[in-house]
Amino acid sequence: MTTDDEEIVLAFLEESRENLDQLDLGLIALEVNPADPALLAQVFRTIHTIKGTCGFLGFKSLEALSHAGENLLDALRRGELRFDASVTTSLLTLVDAIRRVLDHIEQAGTEGEVDHGAVISALDRHLASPVAVATFDLATTSQSVAMGTATAASETSVRVDVAILDKLMDLVGELVVTRNQFGESATIDDDGPLSLTYRQLSLVTRELHEGVVRARLQPVGSVTGKFHRIVRDLAASMGKQISLEIEGEEIAVDKAVNEVLRDPLLHLVRNAVDHGIEPPDERRAAGKPAQGMLTIRAFHDGGRVHLEIADDGRGIDSRRLVEHAIASGYVTAGDAAALGPDAAMDLMFRPGLSTKEEVTNISGRGVGLDVVRNALEQVGGSIDVTSEPGRGSVFRLNVPLTLAIMPVLIAEVGGERYAVPQVDVREIVHIAAAEIATAVRDVDGVLFYRLRERLLPLVELASQFNLESARHADGLIVIVVEAIGRRFGIVVDALGDTTDVVAKPLPRAIRTIRCFGGVTLLSDGQPALILDVAGLASRAGITTSCEDIEVRDIEWVAEAAPASLLLASADDGGRVAVDMSTVRRLEQISPESVERSGPIEVVQYRGGILPLLRVTDGLSSGTQSRKPSAVLHTVVCESSIGLVGLVVGRIYDVVPRPTTEVTVPPPSRRGAIASVVVDDRITEVLDVELLIADAGVWSTA
Amino acid sequence: MNERYFCTFSVDGLLLGIAIEHVEEVLGDQAITPVPLSDAAITGLINLRGRIVTAIDARQRFGLTSRDDTAAPTVVVVRAHGEAVGLFVDRVGDVVEVDDDCLVEVPVTVAAPIRALATGAYMLAGDLMLVLDADQTLAITS
């Protein structure tokens, strides 16, 4: 063959293989929706195309194979035949036969000597005894069907060798480093021509980078698409019924990342089918539907791609894992007892701990989850698992979106610089020295900072890294970050610039340190470590339970507020209380002296007008009390609009404010901001300002 | 006669050698970025002409006394496991040619940590040179 011919054949092989992948998906989809006319039409077209190209290139065997397939599909799409499992199997066998011939062509240049008579007659047999279906109207519209992710290559795209894209990426990386170095000298120029040029260069570099990154993007589906066929075949061979759902196949990731995900995902999917999901009778006995569910979900979050592989199978018993680990001498019984549930589950990722006694053809030998974890960590990714015995398991993987350039914030700790990925940074907070006493608290050994009514756990990087903090001023510099739903603050000595860096994976020797996600060279040539915010959170013990602590939930409120409450009863008999700090006087007002000023009740009081607020249960509008009483017990309070009188039922006592508050049920009374328990009674603490706002009382001055 | 070539260097008075095919180059003083939480033998990261390379302290690796900091360290860049790693040594010696047949066993007087990493020894003009296994020497995780 001449080189031209070789190129044509190579292109043919590539295109045909893609078409065959499409066929796989289409056939499996048809198995579920046998009467879908659009699907049938598309599958027919695909095989028709293959047949045409084969004939054109003189591949007789392939032509015969695809011709047989085309005949069968023609009958199917004309409604002369019904699509069932045996038809699908025959067609999938055809697809595999075609693949083998393509492989042979690739290796030896010829189609090979295999006799495909069996495959062809299997297809023809279906035609011979057709199970006729009632004819239906074939829509000949050109609706496209979502059979998978790849659509036919449009004419506005080109095929590019991956090596070229890799080279482009490396070059852009070098350009960024060079630009950074240039930037160091350009900033001295300060708005002069040099600095102008630098800004221009910066802009162009950034756009070029973005362009190259986009060129390298590939949908995750190009990896996950193949799983439909694999799961179908695997499940069938084990006599299991499994449905596979994939969500988020259109999520685009860097091609290199896709390559990294391929094997781990395959391994997890096979594990789920092999070990995870039980055979139909076992499932029915457990009260589950006979068909098992396997879901793969891909999504973006915080600059990373996340994949969840969930099954509703038998789950993983962490106790069995621990027993196995002890039996294998991996961990002593004493150490094992100290393992928390997460750490116990983590044992699964250690080499040599497979809990399946038999080694089957399907799962292979010795290739364990440790390999999966290694592969992911090599590129700065991670994996963990949660499981419920009897209910199923969820494996969660994540990898960085690109393995290349990322914007970072430089932070200094202990005299060294570290890079914090910008994508994880939420805000920067400076805590003045004076504020530290009131705003920073130690709760059970964890430092918290009160940031706008929420508690932010703080991680001091210096102490995490066993370094001496080289802080200059007395205040604290906190970088508020968030990763995998965990928000916390990183305390550093000083802040540097925001800059773009070329991120490289961690060298082997330090790969296992969870706090770091990569390394990079700063613009002065010094190597620097890139923080892995999620890893840091894990190491520092930041759990999601910190997330929802609101300031009022802890002693904080008691310490900030005055120490006494005035106890009283409301009109309806319920218990209420008011902070003593706002109380000025206790009065007994005769009902006759109450006048109305518009919608508000007022009384003349000490030369002024005192608006009255009746404390009720909030259901009525509060302007009328039910029974006329002798006197109105009024608590005169200081407020933003001057003095106001809270009309209560009875005044009981002044008590120290309890240190804990009842949060469930939340206070329902109008004007109440919290509930406390005093003398075993639930007492709602009133806030004067709230009552005023509720009543719509304006300043009467 | 089977010649082999070794790059030699000394660490705390010991003469060591690594097969030449594993040695990329020898460098002088390097700026190091320390890596918190890493194995004690890892000094940190260095910039090797644009590549970020881990640096290992030979003395720590071999369980020897710490280096006197006033001496300027030399870095032997060793390639193993498909990666380049910098080994901080006291002094680099010459490249020597030895006859493979003259390989002897590592004497039992050699301390355990080094003996675990050495595959043999050669007598060189009165000095004993221990042959280090590059793969093993660089196999550190944190």
Side-chain angles (χ1 to χ4, degrees):
Chain A
M1 263 194 283
T2 66
T3 19
D4 278 342
D5 284 344
E6 272 173 24
E7 273 188 33
I8 293 177
V9 171
L10 275 173
F12 158 73
L13 286 174
E14 209 174 326
E15 217 173 284
S16 300
R17 284 187 171 124
E18 275 181 20
N19 282 334
L20 288 176
D21 286 342
Q22 278 299 293
L23 263 183
D24 270 344
L25 291 171
L27 290 171
I28 293 173
L30 274 173
E31 210 175 4
V32 178
N33 291 315
D36 188 330
L39 262 180
L40 278 166
Q42 189 145 357
V43 170
F44 175 84
R45 271 201 301 275
T46 309
I47 226 182
H48 182 74
T49 308
I50 296 179
K51 189 195 82 165
T53 334
C54 297
F56 173 70
L57 288 173
F59 293 124
K60 296 287 179 218
S61 256
L62 281 177
E63 201 183 351
L65 277 169
S66 33
H67 186 73
E70 192 189 40
N71 282 346
L72 182 54
L73 278 163
D74 197 29
L76 284 163
R77 117 190 132 128
R78 279 190 277 113
E80 292 167 4
L81 195 57
R82 182 174 60 222
F83 212 106
D84 63 17
S86 68
V87 170
T88 317
T89 309
S90 302
L91 283 168
L92 286 175
T93 314
L94 167 71
V95 170
D96 286 339
I98 296 180
R99 276 206 183 97
R100 283 194 293 274
V101 177
L102 289 178
D103 288 341
H104 199 281
I105 294 175
E106 185 175 45
Q107 271 148 24
T110 62
E111 288 181 292
E113 299 301 314
V114 180
D115 177 16
H116 299 290
V119 177
I120 295 181
S121 40
L123 293 165
D124 289 340
R125 236 196 321 275
H126 290 289
L127 282 169
S129 49
V131 179
V133 198
T135 52
F136 51 85
D137 239 293
L138 283 176
T140 47
T141 63
S142 55
Q143 315 164 293
S144 69
V145 175
M147 287 198 301
T149 52
T151 51
S154 80
E155 277 145 10
T156 58
S157 65
V158 293
R159 285 187 191 284
V160 178
D161 202 321
V162 171
I164 296 180
L165 285 178
D166 284 342
K167 181 84 182 148
L168 278 177
M169 201 42 145
D170 283 343
L171 287 171
V172 173
E174 284 184 45
L175 185 59
V176 167
V177 172
T178 311
R179 180 211 56 187
N180 289 350
Q181 287 170 337
F182 178 49
E184 296 257 311
S185 15
T187 44
I188 307 171
D189 192 30
D190 246 354
D191 268 351
L194 199 60
S195 122
L196 238 52
T197 310
Y198 169 67
R199 277 206 287 276
Q200 182 66 11
L201 173 65
S202 213
L203 208 62
V204 174
T205 305
R206 189 177 280 261
E207 285 197 41
L208 178 61
H209 167 233
E210 282 170 21
V212 173
V213 164
R214 231 174 306 127
R216 293 172 54 95
L217 291 181
Q218 229 190 14
V220 164
S222 54
V223 168
T224 59
K226 301 214 165 45
F227 294 163
H228 287 283
R229 173 83 197 266
I230 292 173
V231 168
R232 179 197 183 273
D233 290 347
L234 214 54
S237 76
M238 302 191 81
K240 298 184 184 178
Q241 295 169 28
I242 301 180
S243 94
L244 170 66
E245 268 177 35
I246 307 184
E247 220 184 281
E249 284 190 289
E250 69 285 355
I251 301 272
V253 297
D254 186 283
K255 177 161 176 60
V257 172
N258 247 348
E259 291 311 308
V260 169
L261 287 172
R262 192 181 297 275
D263 286 338
L265 283 177
L266 184 59
H267 189 90
L268 290 172
V269 166
R270 290 185 135 172
N271 263 0
V273 174
D274 187 14
H275 308 321
I277 296 184
E278 318 92 319
D281 354 301
E282 204 182 309
R283 286 182 67 87
R284 269 186 233 109
K288 297 185 191 176
Q291 189 182 61
M293 277 281 301
L294 182 57
T295 10
I296 301 179
R297 196 169 82 93
F299 58 96
H300 282 311
D301 180 39
R304 304 181 81 83
V305 176
H306 296 263
L307 286 125
E308 285 179 3
I309 296 104
D311 68 73
D312 66 348
R314 44 170 86 100
I316 298 158
D317 189 348
S318 61
R319 281 169 316 165
R320 251 193 87 205
L321 267 175
V322 174
E323 281 164 28
H324 194 86
I326 299 177
S328 325
Y330 196 84
V331 67
T332 66
D335 287 340
L339 288 174
D342 288 338
M345 206 53 102
D346 217 62
L347 284 173
M348 218 191 323
F349 294 100
R350 304 299 166 128
L353 284 187
S354 162
T355 52
K356 177 121 173 94
E357 274 67 62
E358 311 155 347
V359 170
T360 62
N361 291 338
I362 297 165
S363 312
R365 197 183 299 264
V367 174
L369 289 167
D370 59 316
V371 174
V372 168
R373 178 172 266 182
N374 246 344
L376 289 169
E377 282 180 354
Q378 261 194 26
V379 294
S382 68
I383 178 172
D384 62 61
V385 59
T386 48
S387 179
E388 224 183 295
R391 301 282 299 274
S393 318
V394 182
F395 282 85
R396 292 187 178 82
L397 299 75
N398 70 79
V399 283
L401 261 181
T402 85
L403 307 178
I405 300 174
M406 59 164 73
V408 297
L409 170 65
I410 303 294
E412 276 178 38
V413 179
E416 291 292 334
R417 287 168 297 171
Y418 300 89
V420 184
Q422 265 295 79
V423 78
D424 296 324
V425 175
R426 294 290 167 268
E427 64 185 287
I428 312 257
V429 177
H430 293 264
I431 306 179
E435 220 194 315
I436 296 180
T438 49
V440 179
R441 281 280 191 287
D442 185 313
V443 178
D444 280 342
V446 181
L447 275 182
F448 282 89
Y449 170 58
R450 178 179 173 174
L451 178 66
R452 295 188 299 272
E453 300 315 310
R454 300 195 76 83
L455 287 185
L456 191 73
L458 294 181
V459 173
E460 288 182 304
L461 216 51
S463 59
Q464 281 296 316
F465 290 169
N466 300 323
L467 299 170
E468 282 295 319
S469 167
R471 212 189 307 156
H472 308 299
D474 290 326
L476 286 180
I477 300 179
V478 179
I479 305 176
V480 182
V481 295
E482 181 174 349
I484 323 182
R486 299 170 192 189
R487 188 179 279 238
F488 62 102
I490 303 178
V491 182
V492 300
D493 294 343
L495 288 176
D497 292 324
T498 306
T499 178
D500 286 335
V501 295
V502 180
K504 296 265 156 72
L506 288 174
R508 230 173 38 93
I510 57 179
R511 195 161 289 153
T512 49
I513 306 178
R514 276 187 302 178
C515 300
F516 304 124
V519 292
T520 186
L521 287 176
L522 298 175
S523 48
D524 62 359
Q526 188 81 356
L529 290 153
I530 302 174
L531 294 187
D532 176 350
V533 173
L536 187 58
S538 289
R539 188 168 196 280
I542 311 284
T543 60
T544 44
S545 59
C546 298
E547 271 283 295
D548 298 314
I549 300 176
E550 289 195 34
V551 173
R552 55 159 72 188
D553 287 355
I554 63 164
E555 300 88 69
W556 212 299
V557 182
E559 283 169 344
S564 307
L565 291 176
L566 176 77
L567 283 184
S569 74
D571 265 352
D572 55 284
R575 288 287 187 111
V576 293
V578 183
D579 259 341
M580 270 306 288
S581 63
T582 60
V583 175
R584 295 288 165 263
R585 293 181 66 88
L586 302 177
E587 303 281 4
Q588 291 176 345
I589 297 174
S590 69
E592 294 84 28
S593 56
V594 176
E595 297 159 50
R596 294 198 75 93
S597 169
I600 308 162
E601 287 178 304
V602 297
V603 78
Q604 289 181 34
Y605 182 68
R606 294 168 171 259
I609 308 283
L610 181 74
L612 294 178
L613 298 170
R614 301 216 183 223
V615 179
T616 69
D617 58 5
L619 293 175
S620 58
S621 59
T623 50
Q624 286 290 350
S625 106
R626 256 141 270 118
K627 53 184 190 312
S629 47
V631 287
L632 297 172
H633 294 277
T634 307
V635 180
V636 180
C637 300
E638 183 80 62
S639 80
S640 53
I641 60 167
L643 292 177
V644 291
L646 300 188
V647 178
V648 297
R650 268 190 59 190
I651 294 174
Y652 292 112
D653 204 355
V654 174
V655 295
R657 187 179 185 132
T659 49
T660 51
E661 293 182 347
V662 175
T663 49
V664 174
S668 57
R669 183 179 299 278
R670 167 185 269 156
I673 56 162
S675 304
V676 292
V677 176
V678 179
D679 292 337
D680 293 323
R681 299 267 319 256
I682 299 240
T683 306
E684 291 174 286
V685 180
L686 300 174
D687 179 273
V688 180
E689 301 302 335
L690 217 57
L691 278 168
I692 292 172
D694 251 351
V697 176
W698 303 105
S699 168
T700 52
Chain B
M1 277 278 277
N2 223 343
E3 288 94 22
R4 293 195 63 195
Y5 296 86
F6 288 92
C7 171
T8 60
F9 50 90
S10 67
V11 180
D12 199 16
L14 280 173
L15 183 62
L16 304 159
I18 293 189
I20 200 77
E21 48 270 18
H22 284 288
V23 179
E24 276 197 6
E25 62 185 292
V26 173
L27 304 168
D29 200 2
Q30 293 293 305
I32 297 204
T33 300
V35 178
L37 310 174
S38 60
D39 186 286
I42 297 178
T43 351
L45 302 170
I46 57 180
N47 174 354
L48 186 60
R49 279 190 307 283
R51 276 189 307 164
I52 300 169
V53 159
T54 323
I56 298 179
D57 182 355
R59 283 182 175 236
Q60 286 271 11
R61 183 80 182 100
F62 304 146
L64 303 165
T65 59
S66 281
R67 187 197 335 278
D68 156 29
D69 270 330
T70 54
T74 321
V75 184
V76 179
V77 181
V78 181
R79 174 163 282 276
H81 302 291
E83 248 198 342
V85 175
L87 193 62
F88 270 77
V89 303
D90 292 352
R91 209 172 45 250
V92 170
D94 298 321
V95 173
V96 298
E97 180 189 335
V98 295
D99 181 358
D100 208 17
D101 304 330
C102 300
L103 185 70
V104 299
E105 265 190 36
V106 180
V108 294
T109 46
V110 172
I114 305 178
R115 205 144 27 91
L117 301 171
T119 58
Y122 289 97
M123 281 307 293
L124 290 182
D127 267 326
L128 187 70
M129 178 192 78
L130 296 169
V131 175
L132 287 178
D133 179 328
D135 283 328
Q136 284 286 24
T137 307
L138 302 188
I140 302 186
T141 46
S142 292

